[in-house]
Amino acid sequence: MLRVYALYNRNRRVAAFLAIAFFVDVISLSVHSYLCIKACVFDQACFMRKTPPPALGFSIEMLVVQGTLWGMAWWKNNKSEVWTRTPLIGLIVRDGAFIFVGTFAVLVIALPYALLVKSVGHIIFSWFISLLAFAACRLTINLLRLNTPEASTQNDFELSSFIEIPLDD
């Protein structure tokens, strides 16, 4: 969310929208988490028998938030302003798309499997956590790789004017 806020030049309307989206997201995920925990059914070995149906709402909420963030970054990249077509904007849109597609793929593959097969003990959810950690590292490394003009390393410098300060007793 902070990347999108920075892309929009710290616009107050965007800040208000993102703040509202964040709080709605937190409240919605909290409600869905509560409903998921309440709907869990366990067997004698304390394994969940099936995936709770509110998990679908939890997943949809995550996709909506990531899709909104990526859509806002994509919109900023495709505007006609010249400064928006910089490598930084392209990097944020590309990596945002990577995160969105990864999140979407994991949820689209895992959730129907978990709901239909009624198996929740598979490894894909730990892959999801690894995917998000990998995406954050990738974004950081790619930001460091952007071509930036290197600072001058010359030790010689020249003053443009000479100012004499008299030292009176």
Side-chain angles (χ1 to χ4, degrees):
M1 286 190 170
L2 291 176
R3 292 178 299 156
V4 173
Y5 174 62
L7 280 177
Y8 282 85
N9 202 20
R10 300 185 304 186
N11 186 330
R12 287 182 187 246
R13 289 183 193 160
V14 172
F17 173 75
L18 290 175
I20 290 169
F22 176 76
F23 288 117
V24 167
D25 183 40
V26 168
I27 291 169
S28 177
L29 290 177
S30 298
V31 168
H32 282 109
S33 296
Y34 173 75
L35 293 174
C36 280
I37 291 170
K38 199 170 183 181
C40 287
V41 178
F42 297 97
D43 62 6
Q44 293 83 7
C46 292
F47 290 114
M48 279 197 321
R49 287 185 176 171
K50 63 178 185 167
T51 302
L56 184 62
F58 189 87
S59 301
I60 290 172
E61 176 68 28
M62 289 176 56
L63 290 175
V64 166
V65 169
Q66 289 297 322
T68 302
L69 292 174
W70 182 77
M72 289 178 72
W74 179 82
W75 175 259
K76 192 65 170 179
N77 186 45
N78 288 333
K79 285 179 76 174
S80 62
E81 296 175 21
V82 175
W83 75 271
T84 60
R85 299 210 181 261
T86 62
L88 177 64
I89 305 296
L91 173 73
I92 290 175
V93 170
R94 186 186 71 218
D95 285 351
F98 171 73
I99 294 169
F100 177 71
V101 168
T103 303
F104 185 76
V106 167
L107 293 176
V108 164
I109 292 168
L111 199 60
Y113 175 78
L115 289 172
L116 296 175
V117 178
K118 303 198 183 337
S119 172
V120 294
H122 47 79
I123 196 165
I124 197 140
F125 293 111
S126 61
W127 287 358
F128 183 64
I129 294 169
S130 300
L131 174 77
L132 292 178
F134 172 74
C137 291
R138 177 188 161 129
L139 178 64
T140 305
I141 290 170
N142 286 342
L143 284 172
L144 293 174
R145 287 185 183 166
L146 282 178
N147 291 334
T148 56
E150 294 188 19
S152 174
T153 57
Q154 292 180 341
N155 292 333
D156 299 333
F157 60 92
E158 191 174 313
L159 296 176
S160 61
S161 61
F162 178 72
I163 301 172
E164 186 176 334
I165 302 174
L167 298 172
D168 294 330
D169 290 314

